[in-house]
Amino acid sequence: MSDLLKKIDARTKLAGTNKLEILLFTLGMDQRTGRRENFGINVFKVREVMRTPEITQAPEMPPAVEGMVSLRGNLIPVIDLASYVGVQTESKPEIMIVSEYNGHTQGFLVEAVDTILRLDWSQMRVPPEMLNNNLRGLVTAVTELDTGKLVMMLDVEKVLAETNQIDDSHEFKAIQPVSDLVGKTVFYADDSAVARKQIQRTLDALQLNYVEAINGKRAWDELQRIASQAEAVGKPVKEFVHMILTDVEMPEMDGYMLTKVIKSDPRFGGIPILMHSSLSGMSNQKLGQSVGVDAYVAKFEPHKLTEAITTMLRNAAQ
């Protein structure tokens, strides 16, 4: 397993190529369907993979949270993904994927890990509605491999939000609109329904207008439509869209590629781009800078997002 992950730290040159690398894993044979489904997680979110350690039970834990483990002196929650996803299996999860994102570290219990695959985001599709409904909106993208194997990417933001059960309403209540920015328009793209809702709550609190897209490809299509409308009335696009907010991981076109195509199109001159991602490591920020991102903010802290949006809109207005 150490061989499987020892090259992860070197995989930092994918920005602007619309590629990603995912660690494949399984949750066990589902007794209801008789199938063993395949899931994936971005390797940038994987800190390490290990045999399942001894788990300490804790009272009043959310459903699917098995307990806590001590990892190098830090207590981290452990989530049984089979239980969380709803896979009914008799196999005991033998592997724990230690994942770090959104500034949080947690362990995911899985049946087994398989391999690391390099894919193009254009191969990742928005999941069919029926699949999304069956899995309670837990899948953000799906792809079919050359072998015919179907791989599903889990919405880790949703997993974190539902297992932490943190009441963050007070953070949004503390956000105050800035009078000279009220009514400005933010265009944002994110494939996670949970993340889109959090962004929307922030923009509503700031009394900003917004347009949303569920991935980079759809964002780019919509931005080109807006650009055509602006051209038809003889006005610059920056009068209609005042800033762009993008996630990194998105099916069909990721945030790096979206930024790259926007920055290479003169019609979008003067529109700043803010990258908003759970991939909050310094290497990811540098990757964003390499394709022209104007600023980077980690998910998800409403006050930091508010500060970044406010600063960017003010700078763009000067």
Side-chain angles (χ1 to χ4, degrees):
M1 238 169 318
S2 60
D3 291 338
L4 180 66
L5 292 174
K6 66 182 180 181
K7 294 182 180 179
I8 284 181
D9 289 339
R11 302 168 190 268
T12 58
K13 297 182 180 179
L14 300 180
T17 66
N18 208 39
K19 295 185 183 299
L20 79 157
E21 289 184 324
I22 60 175
L23 173 65
L24 297 185
F25 63 89
T26 57
L27 301 179
M29 185 71 72
D30 193 333
Q31 295 180 349
R32 299 170 304 171
T33 64
R35 296 197 304 269
R36 177 175 274 103
E37 307 292 1
N38 301 277
F39 296 88
I41 184 172
N42 193 318
V43 295
F44 277 126
K45 294 181 177 179
V46 178
R47 203 164 94 181
E48 59 185 300
V49 176
M50 61 176 63
R51 294 288 175 185
T52 301
E54 183 178 349
I55 300 172
T56 301
Q57 301 294 322
E60 299 182 6
M61 298 296 285
V65 177
E66 291 293 294
M68 310 289 287
V69 299
S70 178
L71 192 64
R72 297 179 184 83
N74 296 315
L75 284 176
I76 67 168
V78 178
I79 301 161
D80 185 340
L81 277 185
S83 175
Y84 179 79
V85 172
V87 172
Q88 296 178 10
T89 178
E90 291 183 347
S91 61
K92 185 178 180 181
E94 298 184 355
I95 303 297
M96 184 172 78
I97 299 173
V98 180
S99 177
E100 187 171 9
Y101 57 93
N102 284 14
H104 299 271
T105 302
Q106 50 279 313
F108 292 137
L109 298 182
V110 303
E111 176 194 42
V113 294
D114 187 353
T115 187
I116 290 175
L117 290 180
R118 176 173 289 194
L119 301 170
D120 194 290
W121 271 113
S122 64
Q123 297 173 254
M124 308 297 290
R125 302 298 183 192
V126 176
E129 186 174 349
M130 183 174 69
L131 175 62
N132 220 10
N133 291 339
N134 288 343
L135 290 173
R136 300 183 292 111
L138 296 174
V139 174
T140 59
V142 297
T143 190
E144 185 176 0
L145 307 182
D146 293 339
T147 59
K149 181 186 295 184
L150 186 71
V151 177
M152 297 175 281
M153 295 283 285
L154 286 180
D155 185 346
V156 287
E157 270 102 6
K158 187 176 178 67
V159 175
L160 182 63
E162 292 187 353
T163 54
N164 276 358
Q165 296 184 341
I166 297 173
D167 182 7
D168 57 1
S169 58
H170 64 284
E171 295 192 55
F172 293 97
K173 290 178 181 177
I175 298 173
Q176 297 297 319
V178 180
S179 58
D180 58 324
L181 301 180
V182 169
K184 296 283 188 181
T185 298
V186 175
F187 189 108
Y188 68 89
D190 201 299
D191 65 330
S192 168
V194 169
R196 289 197 302 273
K197 182 63 176 178
Q198 291 170 327
I199 294 168
Q200 189 180 109
R201 291 171 71 189
T202 302
L203 298 177
D204 282 337
L206 287 168
Q207 295 182 21
L208 296 173
N209 298 322
Y210 47 82
V211 180
E212 74 167 22
I214 63 171
N215 62 44
K217 176 64 167 57
R218 296 194 186 185
W220 179 233
D221 290 344
E222 179 63 17
L223 285 168
Q224 290 184 89
R225 188 189 66 78
I226 293 172
S228 296
Q229 289 182 335
E231 192 174 22
V233 297
K235 293 185 177 182
V237 182
K238 66 180 181 180
E239 289 190 18
F240 297 88
V241 175
H242 299 98
M243 69 166 285
I244 295 168
L245 176 69
T246 179
D247 186 21
V248 171
E249 299 178 282
M250 295 182 288
E252 299 187 20
M253 179 186 288
D254 70 5
Y256 296 132
M257 181 59 77
L258 176 62
T259 299
K260 191 174 182 178
V261 295
I262 292 172
K263 289 294 185 179
S264 64
D265 191 325
R267 295 177 297 174
F268 300 100
I271 303 176
I273 299 178
L274 176 63
M275 189 160 274
H276 180 235
S277 175
S278 57
L279 299 175
S280 54
M282 186 56 66
S283 63
N284 297 106
Q285 296 185 39
K286 290 180 179 179
L287 291 175
Q289 292 169 1
S290 73
V291 292
V293 166
D294 296 282
Y296 193 109
V297 62
K299 290 179 179 176
F300 185 80
E301 299 178 70
H303 66 285
K304 288 188 177 180
L305 179 59
T306 296
E307 183 179 326
I309 290 173
T310 301
T311 299
M312 187 164 280
L313 287 173
R314 278 179 169 162
N315 291 341
Q318 293 177 355

